Amino acid sequence: MSDTVAYRGLTWDHPRGFNALDAAARAHPELGLSWAVHSLEGFETHPIADLCDRYDLVVLDHPHVGEAVDGQCLVPLEDLFSADEIAGWQRDCIGPSLASYNFAGRHWALPLDAATQVMACHPSVGDIPRTWDDVLAFDGPVALSLAGPHAALSFQSICAALGERPAMADPDIFISLQTGLAAFDLMQRLTDASPLSVRDLNPIRILQHMVDHDDVALCPLIYGYVNYANRLTFANAPRGNVETGGIGSTLGGTGIGISKRCRMTPQLLDHLRWLMLPQAQVDFIPAHDGQPSLRAAWRDAGVNARWGGFYANTFDTLEAAYVRPRHNRAIAFQTEASARLRAALFEHGDPAALLNDLQTAYARTRVPGTER
């Protein structure tokens, strides 16, 4: 038909990010929706405004929301969905999955996919660590996820486990000296003992390495991929060892943002609604390699039976996940912080100087007094 709208969506090139979206679109060809992909690294770093200029629907990570608001390139959910619908998603989505897309008073993406850093173990591991002290005492090869943005993400998670969530008490201060020194010391000890074989690998490649090799028995903080749940054992991220701490994990996951170039139709709006319904989240998305965001799916006995208890075993971590800074240029800070952390860890740099550099970089990327 001449009035048919052809929609272009962009997601990331992994079965978890693509298969369910593609299958849902193919099941409804009348929508005219097709999904393209880009790499995990592109997904993490590419300017969101550029993607929104070229695609109608863009799968994004919540740290991009400040950048998206500054670039005025996304349509807020409040302009498309009712307040009751949004309140329902807030109630039903696990942890801060929806809240992480709330910035400047509005929500900027549908939280289709929920993930956070959890613990991954080789199936041979019997006594799975529960605390960071347990990790340090673990009798087997341990590796940290440090490539790309993950050095900064691991650092923030350890700080959270030690009782201080970065930039939360005071959004102008990234982390206190005391907590930062303790977190870095822990990372240094584990880095020194980590196999070089996984130093430059992203989480997907680390998990595959753990499946294929025996030189990494445990990765205490790595983004959970349910696709590996029947080949590896997943558990909650380590807890801190002080009363003020708890499970420390930095939220990941993805959401579907609607770009301003999108000519929304009632049919596409209903399709997006359907993706967030229990029917899709409990049945369709897990059956097509996806990782749902509704709490009902994470608690579902059938879903857990199919995926080796992945969801039940990491549920508490997702519920308690820390939401990292999301201000405009937060991605630039994350990139620089990771590079500085890796350099200090690999070269045994001065921890106090590193923390000063991290604070300087953090302050340089944001306007004091603005949202995280």
Side-chain angles (χ1 to χ4, degrees):
M1 296 176 60
S2 59
D3 60 348
T4 299
V5 178
Y7 292 107
R8 301 179 68 210
L10 180 70
T11 185
W12 47 302
D13 62 351
H14 185 272
R16 191 182 114 197
F18 176 74
N19 287 2
L21 291 175
D22 180 62
R26 289 178 182 274
H28 298 280
E30 70 278 5
L31 288 173
L33 171 61
S34 61
W35 287 93
V37 297
H38 62 163
S39 69
L40 177 63
E41 287 72 22
F43 161 78
E44 291 172 337
T45 61
H46 198 96
I48 191 68
D50 178 62
L51 301 179
C52 288
D53 282 344
R54 295 185 281 133
Y55 295 92
D56 302 288
L57 303 177
V58 177
V59 171
L60 67 145
D61 197 359
H62 61 268
H64 285 279
V65 296
E67 175 189 341
V69 170
D70 188 70
Q72 301 181 18
C73 57
L74 291 177
V75 179
L77 301 188
E78 283 77 2
D79 287 1
L80 300 170
F81 301 97
S82 71
D84 286 344
E85 287 178 295
I86 295 172
W89 294 326
Q90 180 64 55
R91 179 191 65 240
D92 296 337
C93 286
I94 188 167
S97 295
L98 177 62
S100 66
Y101 295 101
N102 187 340
F103 192 88
R106 294 186 174 188
H107 295 85
W108 301 96
L110 287 166
L112 181 73
D113 171 291
T116 196
Q117 292 166 312
V118 295
M119 189 180 303
C121 307
H122 194 273
S124 61
V125 174
D127 191 8
I128 297 174
R130 293 186 66 254
T131 69
W132 279 108
D133 278 350
D134 294 339
V135 172
L136 291 171
F138 179 73
D139 184 19
V142 178
L144 289 180
S145 178
L146 299 174
H150 299 284
L153 302 178
S154 295
F155 176 78
Q156 290 173 94
S157 296
I158 294 170
C159 288
L162 295 178
E164 182 180 349
R165 296 189 164 205
M168 290 291 287
D170 182 345
D172 293 329
I173 303 298
F174 180 57
I175 198 69
S176 70
L177 181 63
Q178 180 180 359
T179 302
L181 288 175
F184 182 81
D185 177 69
L186 196 158
M187 290 183 73
Q188 185 71 75
R189 293 166 66 184
L190 292 174
T191 299
D192 290 346
S194 294
L196 295 178
S197 56
V198 297
R199 176 173 284 188
D200 299 323
L201 303 186
N202 67 26
I204 296 171
R205 293 178 66 196
I206 291 176
L207 293 172
Q208 187 62 53
H209 183 94
M210 292 176 69
V211 169
D212 295 337
H213 303 86
D214 294 327
D215 61 341
V216 177
L218 184 146
C219 187
L221 283 175
I222 190 164
Y223 281 95
Y225 283 81
V226 69
N227 320 81
Y228 287 92
N230 290 320
R231 292 173 286 174
L232 297 171
T233 300
F234 288 90
N236 285 310
R239 295 178 176 272
N241 302 293
V242 293
E243 291 183 1
T244 55
I247 298 175
S249 177
T250 302
L251 186 71
T254 61
I256 299 177
I258 299 139
S259 75
K260 286 196 170 180
R261 64 163 262 163
C262 180
R263 295 165 54 200
M264 183 60 70
T265 62
Q267 293 78 17
L268 181 60
L269 207 56
D270 284 343
H271 183 69
L272 295 174
R273 285 190 177 100
W274 179 81
L275 289 170
M276 294 299 297
L277 288 176
Q279 175 192 356
Q281 289 275 315
V282 176
D283 298 324
F284 186 87
I285 289 175
H288 291 84
D289 302 311
Q291 197 163 295
S293 62
L294 286 198
R295 193 176 284 111
W298 284 68
R299 284 177 166 162
D300 186 82
V303 172
N304 274 285
R306 180 175 180 179
W307 296 107
F310 171 88
Y311 296 100
N313 293 342
T314 60
F315 183 91
D316 291 345
T317 302
L318 211 306
E319 286 280 62
Y322 156 74
V323 178
R324 71 191 101 155
R326 299 163 297 154
H327 59 272
N328 186 27
R329 299 184 66 209
I331 298 296
F333 165 69
Q334 181 175 273
T335 300
E336 181 176 349
S338 282
R340 289 185 177 278
L341 277 159
R342 278 192 299 274
L345 290 168
F346 299 160
E347 300 166 13
H348 291 83
D350 176 23
L354 166 71
L355 292 170
N356 182 69
D357 290 343
L358 293 182
Q359 177 59 37
T360 300
Y362 178 73
R364 190 171 60 243
T365 63
R366 64 187 304 278
V367 177
T370 60
E371 283 196 66
R372 291 176 61 252

